[in-house]
Amino acid sequence: MKPNRHRPNQLISGIDGIPFIHVAIVFSFVVLVIFLTLPIPVHGGITPILPRVSHPISMAHANREDAMIVTIFRDDKVLYRSDLVRPNELLAKIRESLNQGAEREVYIRADARARHGWVAKVVDDVRSAGVEKIGFLVEQRPSPKANPQ
């Protein structure tokens, strides 16, 4: 005789946690890689939109770690290197860098939408600090595609 096994007609449900853990690990790794490859924002995640020109001149010294870079934003905020400065502090910061032996050239990254008068005031402050070599950092305009004929 067969043993009488009685099984109720119920669904057996359960969640297997192992696939969920694998997906979470892969997702974490992908997010980590994405954040490690993103450029570091200059000012609170906002970077200036630089003017575009057709024939820019290379300024390799602007990539140096000790380069004096002044960033002017659309909302009249100014960064010296990576520090937010007030307009009256910029002159002292540049003079301090010059006293520490920095190159006597300032690179300006001015937002294309910044007020012209504000950019001119910053340039005047830079010249007042004793710097005569001023370079404006720009982006290269994409070249027009040649039309095949």
Side-chain angles (χ1 to χ4, degrees), residues 35 37-48 71 73 79 81-83 109:
F35 281 116
T37 58
L38 288 177
I40 298 171
V42 175
H43 169 63
I46 302 171
T47 56
T71 306
F73 291 95
L79 283 179
R81 293 186 172 152
S82 61
D83 301 326
R109 299 178 70 217

Side-chain angles (χ1 to χ4, degrees), residues 61-71 79-82 90-109 126 129-135 137:
H61 288 247
N63 293 330
R64 291 176 37 177
E65 189 174 317
D66 64 340
M68 292 191 290
I69 298 178
V70 176
T71 306
L79 283 179
Y80 177 69
R81 293 186 172 152
S82 61
L90 181 62
L91 186 65
K93 293 265 188 186
I94 292 174
R95 284 185 178 158
E96 180 183 330
S97 295
L98 290 174
N99 290 338
Q100 293 175 355
E103 180 185 15
R104 299 188 70 83
E105 184 169 6
V106 171
Y107 303 97
I108 296 179
R109 299 178 70 217
V126 169
V131 177
E132 290 298 320
K133 281 184 84 176
I134 299 174
L137 301 177

Side-chain angles (χ1 to χ4, degrees), residues 16 24-25 31 44 58 82 99 101 104-105 116 118 122 146:
D16 188 8
I25 290 171
V31 169
S58 176
S82 61
N99 290 338
R104 299 188 70 83
E105 184 169 6
H116 175 72
W118 182 247
V122 171

